[in-house]
Amino acid sequence: MATPESPFKPGILRGKVALVTGGGSGIGLEITRQLGLHGASVVISGRREQVLRDACAALGGEGVAAHYVQGDVRKFGDCERMAAAAVQRFGRLDVLVNCAAGNFLSPAEQLSSNGFRTVLEIDTLGTFHMCRAAFEHLKQAGSSGGALIINISMTLHYGATWWQAHASAAKAAVDSLTRSLGLEWGHYGIRTAGVAPGPIEGTAGMTKLAPGSDGEANMQKLMSAAIPLGHMGRPWDIAQTCVFLASPAAAFMTGHTLVVDGGEWMCKPALVPREVVTRVSRGVEAKSRAVGLAGGANGGGAGGGPRSKL
Ligand code: COA
């Protein structure tokens, strides 16, 4: 699907500085790109230096002022370094996007203690680390125009998701953190928000979490049956949501997680097909009323009797 033009003004985020963890690839890179194309100065972080360097070069080619810091969100010292680097390079920090995440499929009975801990450490602890390490900088921005934390989440834990006990627990905690910090830090002019993507095409998440398909086209077909809007999302969809959240249009929102999934999380198969409903529903209703009225006439029904006396 072709990427549409942004509906937002190009300079809507001018003067803002954003730090995106996991910003070197996938959804994080597109978030960085869109924040930058809308005027923000951007800093990306991640564990693989070459990936970060390549991403900055590509962003620079599109006119986006980008800087990178290598680091691991599991280490608090690295997070302090990342936040400080953004301020050192661009003078302030207004927007923190926690996009770094780790995941894999595993049946719970085969998941080791370390496997469970690793995902919680990257997703949950890493998110808290970054928020905490950036707090003083964000607080400063909060007192002069407003600051924002965006936590990239998931919808796995709204119900329950097969083979994802670790990531579901981790993202449930992230959503909780979005609310807690929204509550506690609004006072400092720091808003919080979550974005929960559904299946997004061309990402590591899709490659890892939906393996074994016969290629992208087949995956698109399988997915469209499970998504009310009929197709997978694009990194662009998530990135535009972040631009909206960072824009003045969302200035009164905090603590809330926006689901951007084409309706996937709430989708379940229809027990009765649409054609059958269309064909038989009125007949079934008429029959049920007829039974009710007959019962009422005999004095024993719940439907016809009492209604006729009113
Ligand atoms: N199934 C079961 N357990 C797995 C696993 C899998 N597919 N992949 C890793 N693990 C376990 C490891 O066995 C290890 O546990 P152990 O010590 O008991 O054996 C534990 O998880 C940590 O693995 P390790 O490879 O040492 O961690 P890492 O820090 O190098 O990598 C991951 C972390 C596993 C999350 C890795 O996939 C990663 O770095 N991901 C980042 C990118 C990503 O996942 N993006 C997708 C987002 S949806």
Side-chain angles (χ1 to χ4, degrees):
M1 198 189 305
T3 305
E5 263 185 41
S6 170
F8 300 104
K9 287 186 199 158
I12 199 168
L13 304 179
R14 192 167 296 134
K16 295 204 179 290
V17 178
L19 167 58
V20 183
T21 70
S25 61
I27 291 174
L29 177 56
E30 183 61 15
I31 292 172
T32 308
R33 193 167 157 263
Q34 290 300 330
L35 294 177
L37 290 174
H38 289 83
S41 302
V42 290
V43 176
I44 56 176
S45 73
R47 282 184 292 167
R48 296 168 297 168
E49 187 157 5
Q50 190 57 49
V51 169
L52 296 170
R53 194 177 300 137
D54 293 347
C56 279
L59 290 164
E62 292 187 78
V64 173
H67 180 64
Y68 76 82
V69 200
Q70 190 275 339
D72 187 333
V73 293
R74 288 174 283 192
K75 300 177 186 154
F76 186 65
D78 283 14
C79 296
E80 288 183 304
R81 211 163 35 75
M82 293 171 200
V87 176
Q88 208 169 10
R89 185 78 166 83
F90 295 116
R92 55 189 291 128
L93 179 59
D94 305 274
V95 180
L96 165 66
V97 183
N98 288 304
C99 192
N103 201 3
F104 48 80
L105 293 177
S106 176
E109 72 275 15
Q110 289 167 24
L111 185 60
S112 71
S113 165
N114 193 36
F116 187 84
R117 180 172 40 239
T118 299
V119 170
L120 263 89
E121 278 185 351
I122 299 172
D123 293 15
T124 311
L125 194 62
T127 296
F128 178 73
H129 276 170
M130 274 314 312
C131 293
R132 183 67 187 81
F135 172 71
E136 288 299 337
H137 307 300
L138 292 171
K139 185 176 152 194
Q140 214 157 359
S143 66
S144 62
L148 170 67
I149 295 167
I150 301 175
N151 295 326
I152 303 304
S153 182
M154 282 184 184
T155 60
L156 304 173
H157 51 290
Y158 292 4
T161 302
W162 292 97
W163 328 130
Q164 293 280 266
H166 42 322
S168 301
K171 292 298 189 179
V174 167
D175 287 357
S176 176
L177 202 53
T178 300
R179 290 191 293 274
S180 297
L181 299 185
L183 181 68
E184 292 192 30
W185 292 359
H187 173 74
Y188 299 113
I190 303 171
R191 293 186 296 116
T192 65
V195 180
I200 302 295
E201 64 191 14
T203 58
M206 283 312 300
T207 315
K208 277 188 161 191
L209 306 181
S213 77
D214 296 332
E216 185 91 352
N218 191 32
M219 179 55 68
Q220 287 276 9
K221 218 164 104 194
L222 286 174
M223 279 290 165
S224 67
I227 302 174
L229 290 187
H231 59 86
M232 287 202 273
R234 301 153 295 192
W236 187 89
D237 294 302
I238 307 305
Q240 289 289 318
T241 306
C242 293
V243 173
F244 160 70
L245 288 167
S247 79
F252 199 49
M253 287 178 66
T254 196
H256 188 64
T257 295
L258 294 175
V259 178
V260 186
D261 75 337
E264 192 243 0
W265 88 266
M266 62 179 181
C267 187
K268 42 189 165 189
L271 291 177
V272 185
R274 189 187 298 267
E275 318 77 69
V276 176
V277 173
T278 307
R279 188 159 31 85
V280 305
S281 176
R282 292 222 170 256
V284 170
E285 178 64 13
K287 212 184 262 179
S288 125
R289 286 187 191 202
V291 170
L293 286 170
N298 292 334
R307 185 145 39 128
S308 62
K309 283 185 189 142
L310 284 174

